[in-house]
Amino acid sequence: SLPQVIAHKLDEKSPLLPPNVWYDENGYAHHTSRSATPGDRTENDDVYDFLRDRCAEIAVMIEGTDELTGHPLQARHSYSADDIAWDHTFAPCVKPWDGEDNRGWYDRNCKRRRGDPVCTIDFSKFHDLVPAPECDFDPYLPL
């Protein structure tokens, strides 16, 4: 299977968005700055400060089925506010095979194969992040 994108939209229905006024652990009031522009840095600061003050942890659990074998798959990971990369996305690492490498390729049993693989994966970029493009919509979420 190819990598999948899972996204959560920060809107007025999101449990991650702080209320208009919230109090930190020392009792100080914080007023959130709701902006008309989604992804505005001040809005991200509000969410980060709120999650960090609450020692919030986002637990992600994913279940699925491998299309080839039918085996169930499960993955889980937890993230703190410090783990979130604001306004970034993963660098592209999966691309169609361009035919430049004519040495052949290897299957999972390390046997050399000829022919064109469907795609290539650059594992050196697998964990890389790049700045997300600025846009008025998120292609992964309905408007």
Side-chain angles (χ1 to χ4, degrees):
S1 297
L2 294 176
Q4 301 296 311
V5 174
I6 298 170
H8 173 77
K9 188 173 187 175
L10 287 175
D11 61 10
E12 65 278 352
K13 297 176 186 173
S14 171
L16 302 179
L17 209 59
N20 290 332
V21 178
W22 60 276
Y23 296 88
D24 64 20
E25 65 182 342
N26 297 319
Y28 296 110
H30 294 263
H31 300 273
T32 58
S33 52
R34 299 278 189 256
S35 65
T37 307
D40 187 8
R41 184 61 200 150
T42 58
E43 185 177 277
N44 290 347
D45 285 339
D46 289 341
V47 175
Y48 172 78
D49 292 342
F50 181 71
L51 295 176
R52 191 154 188 229
D53 180 69
R54 300 296 192 266
C55 297
E57 196 170 348
I58 300 169
V60 178
M61 292 174 262
I62 300 170
E63 291 188 16
T65 305
D66 185 284
E67 295 173 8
L68 184 63
T69 64
H71 287 117
L73 303 170
Q74 293 181 337
R76 64 181 176 188
H77 193 80
S78 64
Y79 301 90
S80 70
D82 293 324
D83 294 327
I84 298 171
W86 299 101
D87 300 320
H88 282 73
T89 188
F90 288 106
C93 65
V94 179
K95 63 179 184 173
W97 189 68
D98 56 15
E100 289 181 14
D101 184 0
N102 60 5
R103 297 174 294 171
W105 54 284
Y106 296 86
D107 65 12
R108 65 178 163 184
N109 296 320
C110 297
K111 293 182 181 177
R112 189 170 179 177
R113 300 288 184 192
R114 295 275 181 210
D116 296 346
V118 175
C119 63
T120 58
I121 301 173
D122 184 351
F123 284 105
S124 69
K125 296 180 181 178
F126 195 74
H127 294 285
D128 291 353
L129 296 174
V130 296
E134 291 186 29
C135 59
D136 293 335
F137 70 96
D138 188 330
Y140 301 110
L141 296 173
L143 297 175

